Amino acid sequence: MELENNAYFWQKLDTLVLSSTMVIDHKKNTSHPNYPNLIYPVDYGYLKDDLNDNDDRISFFQGSEETSTVDSIVVCVDILKRDVSVKLLIGCNKQEELAILEILDQTDYQKAVLIRRGSEVPFWAYSM
């Protein structure tokens, strides 16, 4: 079975972003409130949604590129928190993506992988 990185998945992520308020709570070059050696390479925040206003926020990194589409996602695993999280990357260039991965991978307890946006529509999605 071939894995697909299809356009419909990314379209749904874009819809989440466009239908939510983007709240920046950590500006670029500021330090994390609990870990002063962690400096945010780009703006970091969450999507505010009136329907889901609880602790299950969708986090994002916003880079220097002028766009409102999701370019990639980062999936992080933290064995101390016993947690897996997904963070959206919006307007991040390749250098910013690498800087984000570097801060997310700086301990032995948390690691992350980057999944870049694809543009292919799977064959089964076309109507005949």
Side-chain angles (χ1 to χ4, degrees):
M1 179 175 130
E2 184 177 328
L3 297 177
E4 296 171 342
N5 187 354
N6 75 69
Y8 294 129
F9 171 80
W10 297 96
Q11 179 188 48
K12 299 305 179 208
L13 289 176
D14 291 342
T15 300
L16 281 174
V17 170
L18 293 170
S19 64
S20 302
T21 301
M22 296 174 69
V23 178
I24 304 290
D25 55 359
H26 301 290
K27 298 293 279 178
K28 178 180 179 177
N29 295 325
T30 61
S31 62
H32 188 281
N34 300 329
Y35 307 102
N37 63 325
L38 190 154
I39 307 297
Y40 290 96
V42 297
D43 291 342
Y44 180 76
Y46 62 92
L47 300 180
K48 182 174 172 59
D49 180 356
D50 294 335
L51 300 175
N52 187 21
D53 201 20
N54 58 26
D55 291 336
D56 294 334
R57 295 179 172 161
I58 299 169
S59 299
F60 68 88
F61 288 96
Q62 185 169 24
S64 59
E65 305 292 321
E66 293 290 327
T67 183
S68 57
T69 58
V70 179
D71 305 308
S72 51
I73 60 174
V74 175
V75 180
C76 304
V77 61
D78 187 323
I79 60 172
L80 288 180
K81 290 182 182 177
R82 302 193 57 76
D83 182 45
V84 174
S85 63
V86 176
K87 301 173 187 317
L88 310 179
L89 278 65
I90 302 166
C92 295
N93 59 38
K94 304 278 190 247
Q95 183 179 3
E96 291 166 334
E97 287 177 344
L98 291 175
I100 291 164
L101 282 176
E102 187 175 310
I103 65 165
L104 294 175
D105 279 345
Q106 68 180 323
T107 74
D108 290 333
Y109 305 106
Q110 177 176 292
K111 295 299 174 193
V113 294
L114 178 79
I115 303 171
R116 289 198 173 100
R117 185 180 191 121
S119 59
E120 293 185 24
V121 176
F123 74 92
W124 48 262
Y126 291 106
S127 57
M128 300 291 172

